[in-house]
């Protein structure tokens, strides 16, 4: 640690980073200069960084990646670390502080920002996608977006505040305490949403998921019942379980059109559906039966409320209300990235963590 | 008037009613007994009744009608009248009071009712669809659903509190004061929603409508700008008009899939869409771009909030804040119903009123 | 059981009831006819009934009692029981069902009722105060107010749904998940609110209470820290515990003016205060510092939302999320009422239960 | 204009400013350097500035002023102007743009800021109170707080966006469309709130005000009825006017304890009270009858929501929905400040405007 700390003080210093170098599939570890930073920025030494499905899309260079990224760029937007240095205008953290960051940068002046919704800023940029991110020894964060993390929160939990925040945002986009909840899709964020819903007083949580090991995880995270939507009529089963009413709240975490259909069908009249899962094509909805005559409220969920969601998320963690251990999988150095992406792609992985500055 | 009032006092008395007699197209005027009523019911002498699009569906006996109605039944669910007689338990109105009624009957015990959303009751029944309605000289209303109307409200306005309430429910399902609004579809309820939005402080109202005479009406009702969606790129035009942001609020009043697509595209990030128009088939939505990444809130709108919407609607009318005159069209006796349905079907009509007890 | 069941079938039958007979201190056990009931009413055989502070006021015939009650009247408004008989119009329960009831009767037609707030009906009446209540072998409940209780909920929990609903109403009158909470006053409803807040995701709960045994109970119910407001500066202590911010949510359950002052002082800027405790005189508030400049939101809490609160409360109980055992104290037959009131008055009791039909 | 514009380009340049020079009563016109500014700041040439009651307190050096201000400081926080120069990082405005500004600076990192409530920032600072303000030829505004004003909005309206925003914040802190409103206190902000409530669909507005000329103004601004609270029982009068219910919404704009009492008494069960007026001492409230048993919601109102209120306010002005002409009084050069303060103190003035760069 001492030696690497010394290095940063020298202008010629370099660091390892996992970068998208060319507009094509693949990524590379590269040695790059430790980034410079502005007076209102913070230089963070990355402790742990987590891989998001988006990183996999970037790795494969899908259509969305091609339309958005301008290589070369250092990837990675889920992380925690320790403040290494602060710009001269920075007052809210100091070197040594344990931090994470909201990687979505809002412009502050568009209509959405002005209406108190910077998470859907019309000019939003994302660190790790539109500029150099956290799959590196160091990352630069503007003070507006740094998030001080209570030292009592474990490092591996702090590394996934971004997707955990997605889950908290989804669950708490409407009332959930004392209500029944259906969760369609038990991938990592779906699983987190189960734990969050339970911690926030959801009384019966029904998880719908095709993969058996994810159904097992759903149970471990706090689902009361799990359903395989390929067996029998899951909508009828859930209606039966809810005395014919359907669930008060639908958390759509799959992006799968069938799951979306079933989710809306199992939603009770007057219920709330929060949609986070990202379908890869337009979805046909039975608007009349499933939304209009039902008097449903639907929330599109993107990112995290800035920064209510961060307050709620870190409060829940600090109070020990969320057991996320079942989610975690491999922890590896940055240079094992090919193995990591292969594992993620298998669909068997939970959250995979990189340790760019070496293991804990 | 005197003679007809005398009749009701005799048990053998009959009245004229416009009824669906058989499960097939058409309706008939029939002489039926003045209805009996329970101790908690109110017998209302109908002053004016208005034709809803639903009545046209029933007239033509479309698939929905065939699946729902059990002829014979007296149709009509938009009306106002004068209390003729009250049941022995009734306390909230007295003979001679000017009234209308919420025709959706809620069970009071399903999950939706218990959660304060009786307008989407799981066991809801509608007077004029599931039981005898208001296209008759008299109609029976349970005390729970009667609505006393201030005598200062004109009779023709009181006759359309049901669809006007749809408009008020749609507009006020979220904030609208100081905000920009797009209205897709300028049929009768769309037109009313323009007047309501304007009265409630919407600052710029953009109406999108194919038919020229409806665009003219939209202007008369208070739209700032009207657009023909078949000419040019209406989404771009509205984005331009809103400094690139899109509208804060979308009121979808058409049920037309193209309009729904355009509506969502013109909605700003973080905006609110309230859907009242009823598409006649499933609609393909670009969920990611139009709802999820946008962080949009979508409200399915059905009926009227019981009874917040009725309070708001009659308050606005009593205060003279709504000029609905451009909406009204023909006023005719009940037996001209074939002419009325033909006129409605032409798409050229506004609200058509029946006067079952003779003209005012 | 068999013999008493047989009695009810006979018209001449009588039952024991704890009644206020005269406008003066005291109550009496009296033998009265089993009540008759209307077609829309339900006759319930009381299993367990709980004593409220209000019953103590009635016992002592304080000024409020004298201004409101018209003796003779059977007291008691917290209870559970089993449906004995139903009126001919009743459909939502059947004999043998386990039930409780909302004892506040709303008129359905005043402005508050019409705006969806029947719990603050302007013409509200309370069974057990304005008409015969549940400190008796049988009580009559209108169908509108009956509440079917899941048989999995223990009888002694079902007997206190009324005050537990007060707690749920208070806690859930605004967001609480992921937030810090201060509770001033740890009497029975304050203690319940601690359990409810914790079950609904409050992350740090600070209870402020003068009596040591109640502070102990507060810990048992889930408070993270308890404070004796007579020792040191509790406002400063709580600000310290919350990083200088103060609590996000204040639940004022004491009615004590000092506690109210401290509560508002410990509330963070932009926080929410829900007031349930009933001061016995006007209270001087520092409106500028504590509410206006703070941008605080204050909710007056009365009764239970009809019936959202009942849904939430029974869902939480059914899911086993609330451990209320520390609250319960003596269980006694109806004729030990003097002992019961003395115990309640001592301030040492939790919830005391009567068993008018004999012990379980 | 030309010569003064030339001056700013020279480093030695000076300007006239109305300043608090010493911790004592009085103010002085002083010649001071045109302020320097940071890369993220904007230098604005002030067109019109308006006097706030707070400025009068500062002038007289009351207790609050003595505890807060650090002379010397240039006063004034209500203004509009034209961008003269921008810092190198500024992108959202350019020289020549017509602007105003939110003068409350939020820290961005306290709990209130993080919860989306920067208007009640725990570390808030106010330009014109804590640092040099707008009673000068030039004022410096950070980009975060600048507000671009549509050129169609008249200069004298743009100069009072700060207090008008107070009114909009108060009115729109809850629903108001289709509802009845009581306004206690018809000073400038109370009068503006009447116009705003009416523009936003309030249906009956009752203004309560002691001074006859203000009652006249209230009528001009859109009040339906005005009441002199010193004559008769105003609470009873308003209950009568609202069919016994009381008003749905109370806007407390006076800070007068009697008005506050009456306001809460005239609020209907379940109603909303928004408190903006600043009492100069603690106020005794009948919490039980007026808030708790009433199930009232009370909002403390401070500043303006950042920046929803600014969007709503400027949208309403741009759409021409607010006629504020009756509010305006004298327009004078900066050096007539003694006359201005005397006029304001008389209680007869509306909004008084300074023109630090000469008349329009």
């Amino acid at each position: 640690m001492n030696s690497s700390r010394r290095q940063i003080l020298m202008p010629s210093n370099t660091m390892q980073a996992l970068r998208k170098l060319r507009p094509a599939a693949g990524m590379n570890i590269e040695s790059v200069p430790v980034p410079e930073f502005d007076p209102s920025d913070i230089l963070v030494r990355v402790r742990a960084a987590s891989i998001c499905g988006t990183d996999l899309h970037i790795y494969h260079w899908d259509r969305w990646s091609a339309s958005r990224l301008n290589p070369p760029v250092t990837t990675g937007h889920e992380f925690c670390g320790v403040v290494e240095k602060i710009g001269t205008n920075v007052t809210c953290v100091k070197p040594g502080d344990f931090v994470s960051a909201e990687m979505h940068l809002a412009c502050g002046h568009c209509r959405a920002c002005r209406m108190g919704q910077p998470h859907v800023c019309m000019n939003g940029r994302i660190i790790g996608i539109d500029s150099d991110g956290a799959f590196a020894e160091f990352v630069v964060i503007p003070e507006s977006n740094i998030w001080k993390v209570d030292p009592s929160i474990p490092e591996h939990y702090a590394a996934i505040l971004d997707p955990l925040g997605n889950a908290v945002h989804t669950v708490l986009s409407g009332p959930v305490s004392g209500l029944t909840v259906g969760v369609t899709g038990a991938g990592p964020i779906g699983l987190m949403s189960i734990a969050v819903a339970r911690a926030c007083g959801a009384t019966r949580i029904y998880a719908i998921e095709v993969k058996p090991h994810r159904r097992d995880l759903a149970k471990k995270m706090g689902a009361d019942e799990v359903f395989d939507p390929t067996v029998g009529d899951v909508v009828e089963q859930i209606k039966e379980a809810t005395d014919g009413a359907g669930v008060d709240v639908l958390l759509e975490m799959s992006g799968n059109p069938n799951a979306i259909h079933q989710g809306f069908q199992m939603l009770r009249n007057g219920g709330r559906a929060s949609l986070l899962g990202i379908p890869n094509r337009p979805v046909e909805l039975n608007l009349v039966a499933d939304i209009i005559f039902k008097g449903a409220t639907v929330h599109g969920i993107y990112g995290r409320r800035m920064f209510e969601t961060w307050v709620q998320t870190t409060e829940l963690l600090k109070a020990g209300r969320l057991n996320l251990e079942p989610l975690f999988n491999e922890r590896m150095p940055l240079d094992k990235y090919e193995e990591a992406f292969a594992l993620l792609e298998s669909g068997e992985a939970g959250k995979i963590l990189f340790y760019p500055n070496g293991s804990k």
Side-chain angles (χ1 to χ4, degrees), chain A:
Chain A
M1 276 286 275
N2 276 353
S3 63
S4 80
R5 176 176 290 268
R6 211 179 312 123
Q7 290 176 342
I8 178 78
L9 302 177
M10 300 177 218
S12 65
N13 224 329
T14 60
M15 67 175 187
Q16 298 294 302
L18 180 57
R19 286 164 67 79
K20 189 79 184 178
L21 295 178
R22 282 167 298 275
M27 287 191 193
N28 291 86
I29 294 283
E30 213 187 18
S31 187
V32 293
V34 169
E36 301 191 339
F37 54 94
D38 285 333
S40 59
D41 287 342
I42 294 148
L43 181 71
V44 180
R45 179 184 293 268
V46 176
R47 288 297 310 146
S50 176
I51 308 180
C52 174
T54 303
D55 298 316
L56 193 59
H57 291 302
I58 296 172
Y59 183 77
H60 289 311
W61 200 244
D62 70 355
R63 198 189 312 182
W64 169 83
S65 306
S67 73
R68 172 119 186 196
L69 272 80
N70 286 308
V73 68
T74 300
T75 53
H77 58 273
E78 305 177 356
F79 83 104
C80 66
V82 174
V83 173
E84 183 78 19
K85 294 173 100 178
I86 61 174
T88 49
N89 291 342
V90 170
T91 59
C92 77
V93 291
K94 59 181 193 306
D97 281 350
F98 186 40
V99 295
S100 179
E102 169 58 64
M103 300 295 252
H104 290 212
L105 303 177
C107 76
H109 291 99
C110 71
R111 185 84 164 191
C113 282
R114 288 305 203 186
M115 290 301 286
Q117 301 162 309
H119 62 295
V120 285
C121 170
M122 291 169 61
N123 309 306
R125 291 173 54 79
I126 303 177
I127 305 175
I129 288 175
D130 301 308
S131 61
D132 288 340
F135 287 164
E137 292 176 57
F138 295 95
V139 62
V140 172
I141 305 290
E143 186 178 18
S144 58
N145 281 50
I146 202 79
W147 189 262
K148 211 170 157 177
V149 179
D150 194 273
S152 70
I153 297 177
E155 198 175 81
H156 58 306
Y157 282 28
I160 61 165
L161 289 175
D162 174 300
L164 179 58
N166 290 144
V168 170
H169 184 186
T170 311
V171 173
L172 296 183
S173 72
V176 75
S177 302
L179 300 179
T180 60
V181 174
V183 180
T184 43
I189 304 182
L191 290 166
M192 294 184 214
S193 77
I194 292 170
V196 172
R198 190 170 167 102
C200 295
T203 49
R204 286 178 279 164
I205 302 173
Y206 308 103
I208 295 94
E209 166 61 52
V210 174
K211 297 190 181 171
H213 80 281
R214 287 184 164 177
R215 289 201 299 274
D216 289 347
L217 282 168
K219 280 245 160 194
K220 283 185 188 149
M221 300 299 284
D224 293 281
E225 288 185 62
V226 296
F227 298 86
D228 179 350
T230 65
V231 177
D233 184 337
V234 67
V235 172
E236 275 317 301
Q237 289 160 19
I238 282 177
K239 288 215 164 165
E240 229 167 84
T242 52
D243 307 309
V247 294
D248 296 310
V249 177
L250 166 67
L251 308 177
E252 207 306 293
M253 315 302 280
S254 73
N256 181 288
N258 290 333
I260 293 171
H261 288 151
Q262 291 175 328
F264 273 109
Q265 283 178 286
M266 69 182 62
L267 183 67
R268 76 159 168 83
N269 282 13
R272 183 250 302 188
S274 291
L275 311 183
L276 179 98
I278 301 175
N280 57 12
R281 54 179 171 82
V283 177
E284 209 174 60
L285 289 188
N286 191 347
L287 282 183
V288 180
D290 288 345
I291 296 182
I292 298 172
F293 282 6
K294 216 166 225 178
T297 296
V298 183
H299 292 132
I301 305 294
Y302 181 70
R304 294 143 297 280
R305 303 271 316 172
M306 290 153 75
F307 287 88
E308 297 91 313
T309 303
W310 288 85
V311 170
Q312 295 160 332
T313 305
T314 46
E315 280 281 350
L316 286 168
L317 288 178
K318 192 175 152 193
R321 299 296 162 80
L322 301 176
N323 174 15
L324 306 177
E325 294 304 336
L327 286 176
F328 288 96
N329 202 279
E330 299 292 318
R331 302 177 190 204
M332 39 182 78
L334 207 49
D335 55 14
K336 295 242 181 151
Y337 63 94
E338 288 180 329
E339 191 180 317
F341 284 124
L343 181 60
L344 186 63
E345 195 150 25
S346 74
E348 301 298 311
K351 295 304 290 182
I352 303 169
L353 297 180
F354 285 136
Y355 285 81
N357 280 284
S359 63
K360 201 169 174 177

